[in-house]
Structures are given as C-alpha cells and as structure tokens.
Amino acid sequence: VARLEAAGAERMLGVSEALTTLGFENAPALVGFVWDRGRSRAREIEAFRAAVTAAADLLSHSDAEWERLRPLMRVAGEAEFTRLRDAYRAGIQTQWSEADTDSARRLHALLEKTGGQRFRDSAGAFDAAVFDQDG
C-alpha cells in the first residue's frame, strides 16, 4: 500500500478504518511470529524476541538506521521510502494486552461467520495461547 500511495494511488479504506467501522476499538495486530513450542528451544525463542524488539525500537526512532536500509528497500524515490518507513513505524506494537487478545478472538469469530467452513478448515479454532507473550 505504501508503494502504491507513493506512486499516486488513493487509499479508499485501510484495515484499521475497516476494523474500527466493524466495532473493533483495539485493532488486533495482523503480523506476528508463531512457533511450535515442542520443537523450539526457549533460549532461541527469547533471543529471537529480543532481536525483534531491539530492531523495532531502533527503527522506531532512528532515521540513520533507515538510511542504512534504504538500498535494500529498492524504493523508487523519496516519497516511497518515507511512506514505507512511516507505515512500518505506525505498525510497531509495543505491548499486548488481554483486550488485544479479545479483539483477535472477535475478529476470528467474524471471519468464521463470513468465511464459513472454508475459513475454519484453513484457520482452525481460535487459540488464545498463540498470543502468549511469556513463551
């Protein structure tokens, strides 16, 4: 979306606005990481989490770090670079609460209702443990 907007496309409705319209006060995060606890080592998971948190913290405030990333981003110009950077920063989730898990649960239920069996077959049942921040 950021690339399209930088090229002149106009956003008609963003995900956050759509979720607000559907009654979600807390729009649940739509990007995350999932692993199989039975096949993962706690130390590796914690190291990964620490690296993700450190990177998000650094990219949330350091324009110099974004300049280092610029060549890897393959941007068409300054507007595209700025939109991508700003969109990333806007999407950084700094905390997760029970209200966020409840919003994810409600979104899953809505998708089950509208997507029917095909959604259920693909997504499975809602599992609040996926959002466990402790391990």
Side-chain angles (χ1 to χ4, degrees):
V1 170
R3 289 184 193 278
L4 291 170
E5 288 177 341
E10 184 178 336
R11 182 185 305 218
M12 293 178 62
L13 181 68
V15 173
S16 294
E17 295 89 2
L19 290 172
T20 299
T21 301
L22 291 169
F24 290 88
E25 290 180 28
N26 293 349
L30 301 176
V31 176
F33 305 101
V34 179
W35 45 81
D36 181 342
R37 287 186 190 166
R39 295 176 24 185
S40 303
R41 291 184 215 124
R43 201 164 86 202
E44 291 171 347
I45 292 170
E46 191 50 43
F48 178 76
R49 283 180 166 174
V52 168
T53 299
D57 182 53
L58 184 62
L59 293 173
S60 72
H61 67 271
S62 174
D63 290 341
E65 289 303 317
W66 279 99
E67 288 301 328
R68 287 183 48 196
L69 290 174
R70 184 189 289 259
L72 301 172
M73 296 168 66
R74 297 187 174 110
V75 295
E78 189 62 30
E80 187 174 300
F81 172 79
T82 301
R83 286 205 184 254
L84 286 167
R85 182 198 64 208
D86 293 351
Y88 178 88
R89 285 176 168 169
I92 295 173
Q93 181 125 14
T94 57
Q95 59 185 353
W96 188 268
S97 69
E98 186 57 39
D100 295 308
T101 301
D102 185 56
S103 288
R105 181 182 293 110
R106 289 179 39 237
L107 179 57
H108 188 276
L110 176 63
L111 293 171
E112 272 189 317
K113 182 178 177 182
T114 58
Q117 191 61 44
R118 188 170 181 182
F119 176 81
R120 285 189 287 282
D121 289 346
S122 174
F126 181 82
D127 183 1
V130 169
F131 303 100
D132 178 12
Q133 297 293 294
D134 296 323

